[in-house]
Every structure is written in structure tokens, then in C-alpha cells.
Amino acid sequence: MRLSRALQATLSFFCLISTCHGSPLKSDETVFFFPTSASQENNSKWNIKIHHWVFEKEEGTFSRKVTQNIFTEIAEALDVTEEEAHSNLFKQRIKWFLVDNERNKKIHIDFNKQTKILESTSANGHAITSFSLAIDSTPSSWLTYKVHEDKRNFQGKVQLIPEIGLTVISDIDDTIKISNVLDKKELIKNTFLKPYKTTEGMPEYYKKLESKGAFFHYVSASPWQLYPSLKPFMDESYPQGTISLRNFRLKDSSIIKFLQSSEKYKIKQIEDIIQRYPKHDFILIGDSGEHDPEVYAKIYKKFSDTKIRIMIRAVKDSDIREERLHTAFKNIPKDQWILFN
């Protein structure tokens, strides 16, 4: 009995140490940093936010089995050929859903000539860390940081967004990227089986806004696992900005069900951005495919003291009746929102 208690105490001690301090990064584990932003506290001090993901690439039998399960799910629900579902493009996009997420990883980064310890990762391998720091860099610039003492050179970046400015909060699917969210079959094909395609006119318009000094935040209900595939598309076609996507695990939900929009998720993410930059003017850009008019209207009414303009892209076969729009934008001045195609 004494031995059992002693052993239990020892195990509890090591569990406590692991929980408090986390385990270091291993040679077969990867760190992925997402672009984030910093808010200005005073002339030199900034509130920094870092978002990272730690995982191990899954190989072998498990990966093949899960890939086959996903293929079966998609093939049963959609008109997808075996050749499409086993294409290199599909494999490249689906592989990020098959990684082994690493819990309780403690990462150190080199940031602005200082070493910072990031929050330990949760069960999905993600962690978000906030800290304050005095920085001499020019507002609007991007700062680069990397994992401390790791030869693989895992890097991330954060944008210093000043206290006053113009911010664009943009949806992704069917706003800046053709997804056909209302057609489940086309949504899956555009997400996993086809090259990403920009929405006509939007890259030019966003670059025009960028030339006027706008800052960009992209908010989507898509899962974080799509970001590695989205990044090259975004880098080529749209201004740099932060990105907010949703947490997803294969064992919790099917991909097809998850890709449906989440109104509550988008409201929270947009609220967080506006609260971080309360003195900015905002342009909210979305589409009529799902809930963007209703989401943006709620945001407008909640932040009544903030200058907000709403732009909704008219999506083919979506509900753009005057009745819907007038209900959504009730008590919002007509010159503060626009429906465009």
C-alpha cells in the first residue's frame, strides 16, 4: 500500500510538472504560426498576440485509413470521381486534417531581441499567447519572430496596428474566394478538389483599400487545417492581414457538416477585433450566401459609437430580397450599407 501511494504521488508530481511547464519541441514535431496583430497601448508599448499550432505529421496505416474514410464520406455525399478524390491536390489539402496534434507543448520564441515563453498547447495543438512589450519599430510594419534555438527556423509574423486607422474585416468564402457555399457539392469541390479562384474584382478593390492605408482581418468559419492551403492563394491575390478560422477535429464532426457557417463564431471574432482597435473606422465586407448581413447588422448595432460601413456581395441564387435586407439592416442608415455584385 505504501509503495502504491508513493508511486501515485510520484506520478502526480510528474503530471503536475508537465502541466505547469509543458514538454519541449521534438525533432519530429512541427510548429506553424498564424499571422496576428498587435494593438498599441502607448507610444512605445504594444499588446502582442501570438497564435501557434504544434503537430506531428501522421504517416502510415492511420493516415491511409483516415484518408479512405474521408474519401468515402465525400464520395457518398457528392458526385466525385475516384480520380478526383485521389488527386495530388486533394491529398495536399486533406493532409493537414490528418496530423497528430501535440498537447501541452511549451515553445520559446525569439521576439524583438527577447526570448518569450508561449502558452502551452491545448488538445488541438493550438495556443494563443498575449504579452506587452516596448517596441521601437514603426507602426503598420510587420515583425518577424522564430522558435528559439531550433535549426529548422519556424517563423511567424505580427503586424503593429496603430491606435487610429482604417480596418477591413473580410469574410473569405464567396466574398474573396469562389466557394459556392449554398451548393454543398460545389463547396466540397471548391474546397478540396479545385484550384482556388478569386472573386472577380475583389483583389483589385482590396489593393485599392490597402493603398489608402487599410489594415486587414480575414474571418471565416472554415477550419484552421485549410490555412496552409489558403496561404499561397491569399499571398498572391490579397493584402497581408490576420486570419481567424475555426477549430475542428475529425473525431468530433464530419467535414461536410463542419463547413457550414457558424454565425456565433463570426460574431465573437469580429467583436474581439473591434474591441482591440476601438478608435478605428471599419469596413465589414461579406456576402449574401449565408448570415453575413445579419451578423454585420448585429455588430453595427452593438458598436453604435464606432464608424462602421457594411458591404455585402450579392451571391447567385442567394436570398437578396428587399424584405431580408430591410429586416437585417433595420434602423441602420441606408448610406452605411450597400449590396454589390
Side-chain angles (χ1 to χ4, degrees), residues 149-320:
E149 294 184 350
D150 193 297
K151 295 180 180 180
R152 291 169 293 176
N153 200 29
F154 297 124
Q155 291 190 358
K157 59 183 181 180
V158 58
Q159 186 177 27
L160 305 181
I161 297 182
E163 187 177 15
I164 298 175
L166 171 65
T167 285
V168 175
I169 300 178
S170 172
D171 179 46
I172 295 178
D173 293 304
D174 287 332
T175 297
I176 63 173
K177 178 176 76 69
I178 298 299
S179 300
N180 292 329
V181 171
L182 294 177
D183 185 327
K184 192 175 295 185
K185 292 183 179 181
E186 285 301 309
L187 171 61
I188 292 295
K189 287 185 177 182
N190 288 322
T191 301
F192 293 107
L193 303 171
K194 295 181 179 180
Y196 294 144
K197 182 180 179 182
T198 61
T199 305
E200 184 178 359
M202 297 304 275
E204 294 81 5
Y205 182 61
Y206 277 45
K207 289 173 184 176
K208 181 179 179 180
L209 291 172
E210 183 183 32
S211 70
K212 297 180 181 296
F215 302 94
F216 292 83
H217 300 271
Y218 301 97
V219 179
S220 170
S222 294
W224 278 110
Q225 289 91 332
L226 287 177
Y227 178 72
S229 303
L230 277 171
K231 185 180 183 302
F233 165 81
M234 300 289 290
D235 288 347
E236 179 180 356
S237 304
Y238 292 101
Q240 292 186 77
T242 71
I243 190 164
S244 299
L245 303 176
R246 276 201 295 168
N247 292 322
F248 169 79
R249 293 192 301 177
L250 276 174
K251 66 180 182 180
D252 296 333
S253 175
S254 76
I255 290 178
I256 294 176
K257 291 181 180 179
F258 187 84
L259 287 174
Q260 298 173 358
S261 180
S262 171
E263 184 175 350
K264 291 182 179 179
Y265 163 80
K266 295 183 76 172
I267 289 176
K268 183 182 184 305
Q269 296 302 313
I270 295 171
E271 287 179 350
D272 288 347
I273 294 169
I274 294 177
Q275 287 167 352
R276 291 193 76 201
Y277 305 102
K279 295 183 180 181
H280 275 228
D281 295 338
F282 290 89
I283 302 176
L284 310 184
I285 307 179
D287 61 83
S288 61
E290 291 190 305
H291 306 297
D292 286 347
E294 291 76 15
V295 167
Y296 292 173
K298 289 179 181 179
I299 296 293
Y300 184 98
K301 293 170 184 177
K302 180 171 183 176
F303 297 93
S304 56
D305 295 332
T306 303
K307 187 175 180 181
I308 297 175
R309 181 170 174 80
I310 298 171
M311 302 181 66
I312 300 295
R313 174 179 175 263
V315 173
K316 183 181 179 182
D317 297 327
S318 67
D319 182 2
I320 55 173

Side-chain angles (χ1 to χ4, degrees), residues 314-333:
V315 173
K316 183 181 179 182
D317 297 327
S318 67
D319 182 2
I320 55 173
R321 293 172 300 163
E322 288 189 11
E323 179 183 357
R324 178 199 181 187
L325 298 178
H326 281 249
T327 298
F329 297 125
K330 184 179 180 181
N331 299 326
I332 297 179

Side-chain angles (χ1 to χ4, degrees), residues 57-92:
K57 293 181 181 179
E58 191 65 60
E59 305 290 348
T61 304
F62 173 80
S63 179
R64 290 194 297 270
K65 182 178 179 180
V66 175
T67 302
Q68 185 60 40
N69 289 341
I70 296 172
F71 163 68
T72 301
E73 177 189 1
I74 292 176
E76 288 178 352
L78 310 171
D79 183 20
V80 176
T81 67
E82 183 172 349
E83 181 180 0
E84 286 178 317
H86 287 88
S87 67
N88 288 331
L89 182 59
F90 175 77
K91 291 177 181 178
Q92 285 297 316

Side-chain angles (χ1 to χ4, degrees), residues 43-161:
N43 289 336
S44 62
K45 204 165 188 179
W46 296 80
N47 180 266
I48 312 295
K49 182 179 286 188
I50 305 292
H51 181 182
H52 71 288
W53 176 25
V54 181
F55 58 87
E56 180 183 346
K57 293 181 181 179
E58 191 65 60
E59 305 290 348
T61 304
F62 173 80
S63 179
R64 290 194 297 270
K65 182 178 179 180
V66 175
T67 302
Q68 185 60 40
N69 289 341
I70 296 172
F71 163 68
T72 301
E73 177 189 1
I74 292 176
E76 288 178 352
L78 310 171
D79 183 20
V80 176
T81 67
E82 183 172 349
E83 181 180 0
E84 286 178 317
H86 287 88
S87 67
N88 288 331
L89 182 59
F90 175 77
K91 291 177 181 178
Q92 285 297 316
R93 291 186 183 169
I94 209 67
K95 71 179 182 180
W96 302 103
F97 292 84
L98 309 179
V99 300
D100 183 12
N101 298 313
E102 298 298 329
R103 178 202 294 263
N104 198 35
K105 287 293 175 178
K106 184 70 76 173
I107 305 297
H108 295 64
I109 62 170
D110 293 327
F111 189 99
N112 197 42
K113 300 180 181 180
Q114 296 186 36
T115 300
K116 291 291 181 180
I117 303 175
L118 303 183
E119 295 288 338
S120 296
T121 55
S122 58
N124 62 8
H126 287 247
I128 296 177
T129 305
S130 295
F131 56 87
S132 294
L133 193 66
I135 299 176
D136 295 330
S137 300
T138 305
S140 305
S141 62
W142 287 87
L143 296 184
T144 301
Y145 55 89
K146 64 178 182 178
V147 174
H148 180 66
E149 294 184 350
D150 193 297
K151 295 180 180 180
R152 291 169 293 176
N153 200 29
F154 297 124
Q155 291 190 358
K157 59 183 181 180
V158 58
Q159 186 177 27
L160 305 181
I161 297 182

